[in-house]
Amino acid sequence: MRKNTLKNLTLGLTLSLFCLAGSFVAAEAFPAFAEENSLNAASQDKLITPSSYEQYLPLTAPSDVAFSDDYTAVADGNILFVYDRLHGVYRKYEHTVNNELSANKISKVEFADDGDLYFLDASSYLYHFPMASLSSDEIVSPTETKFACSTFTIEGNTLYFTNVTGTTNLSKTTLDSLDATKAQTLVEEIHSKPAIAFYEHRLYYTDYGIRLMRVDPEAINPTPESVCVFDREVKSVAVNADELYYTDTNGAFYAYNFTSLLFEGQAKKELAVASEETGDNIVVSPYEDFVYLVQYYLAVVSAFYNTVPPIEITGN
């Protein structure tokens, strides 16, 4: 189901990747853009299928995607693909540090403002990977920070996170220290593991899985404010410009006008400005003026609702 101008740009390259467990390895170089760098779309309300750029990266168990000025990172099971847009090269890292295989699954990836990558595995430990090391030919591995959390998001030099054990609290600390004992608690007693996101000086999080809240993390006494209630449990959420995007645990994707959502207080399906209910939608992730969507088996870059994909497109 698609409503209004749902424009969907599919990413991928069929790759022959060479793997060395525990390390990033450079794959065969692929150009970021082919000579033909425009698409003809049949109409605005249909899927726009790419014929060039980064195309068709097959995925089996995708969980998250993150973007920086120079890199794209896609988590797929215990595999982390990092695409170097400057040199047109994918690198593949296989995460195998835990004896229990299921603990090696990468659940969350984000870039910090300095360009370095952080990711969380199923053992709840945070790993740090400096992207500068990718510019050399040496084989490198991420570093375990010894910092544990159940989920996180990064803004500037601040890590917002939820704790692993006991009552679920939403807290913040700095990337420089990564010390949970010195962290400031922002919200106490969140019910169920929240989806969290940061936008325009506000930290957004879900409570009970369906209620979206927000808080000013710089306030002296942070006071949560209710934004809206969803029909189903939220898996990921993003706020960008005046739109709110989310995926639910059934794999559906919805986009809403944020101002209207604040007024209504409930994310009703009929209010969505764009939606996909295929069951294949995993996570939404914002970057600059765009929101990116990961689906099963493909890394999908999407621009929704009156936005223009970050490539040159011709046609209606």
Side-chain angles (χ1 to χ4, degrees), residues 118-273:
Y118 290 81
F119 69 86
L120 189 69
D121 69 10
S123 72
S124 300
Y125 279 102
L126 189 69
Y127 290 78
H128 168 232
F129 183 74
M131 289 292 99
S133 60
L134 280 185
S135 61
S136 66
D137 293 330
E138 64 179 289
I139 296 174
V140 292
S141 298
T143 302
E144 183 182 330
T145 65
K146 305 299 182 182
F147 185 88
C149 58
S150 60
T151 189
F152 72 95
T153 191
I154 296 172
E155 177 64 22
N157 190 46
T158 303
L159 180 84
Y160 299 97
F161 68 97
T162 53
N163 52 294
V164 177
T165 59
T167 302
T168 300
N169 297 331
L170 184 57
S171 307
K172 70 174 184 178
T173 188
T174 64
L175 291 173
D176 295 333
S177 66
L178 287 179
D179 187 348
T181 64
K182 298 179 180 178
Q184 176 188 350
T185 299
L186 302 172
V187 182
E188 296 181 335
E189 296 187 13
I190 297 175
H191 306 84
S192 77
K193 178 182 175 180
I196 60 176
F198 192 96
Y199 182 73
E200 289 292 331
H201 312 294
R202 293 293 184 273
L203 185 62
Y204 292 81
Y205 66 95
T206 54
D207 198 4
Y208 292 98
I210 60 170
R211 181 178 295 277
L212 183 66
M213 309 290 291
R214 66 179 179 181
V215 65
D216 180 355
E218 299 303 320
I220 297 176
N221 295 304
T223 303
E225 171 191 6
S226 179
V227 175
C228 67
V229 176
F230 299 101
D231 291 336
R232 295 175 178 173
E233 185 176 354
V234 175
K235 187 171 185 178
S236 71
V237 64
V239 181
N240 205 24
D242 194 34
E243 279 93 41
L244 181 142
Y245 310 83
Y246 82 96
T247 58
D248 65 24
T249 52
N250 290 331
F253 162 85
Y254 300 96
Y256 290 85
N257 177 275
F258 188 62
T259 301
S260 299
L261 200 58
L262 279 173
F263 178 79
E264 292 289 338
Q266 186 166 359
K268 300 176 182 178
K269 287 185 180 180
E270 56 267 27
L271 297 178
V273 297

Side-chain angles (χ1 to χ4, degrees), residues 79-129:
I79 302 295
L80 184 63
F81 294 104
V82 176
Y83 179 63
D84 181 340
R85 291 196 292 274
L86 180 61
H87 299 96
V89 175
Y90 270 99
R91 288 176 172 85
K92 177 183 178 181
Y93 164 69
E94 184 174 4
H95 189 56
T96 59
V97 299
N98 299 295
N99 292 329
E100 186 178 345
L101 295 181
S102 61
N104 290 314
K105 182 176 180 179
I106 299 170
S107 60
K108 179 75 174 175
V109 292
E110 279 207 27
F111 286 98
D113 280 2
D114 63 4
D116 285 356
L117 180 67
Y118 290 81
F119 69 86
L120 189 69
D121 69 10
S123 72
S124 300
Y125 279 102
L126 189 69
Y127 290 78
H128 168 232
F129 183 74

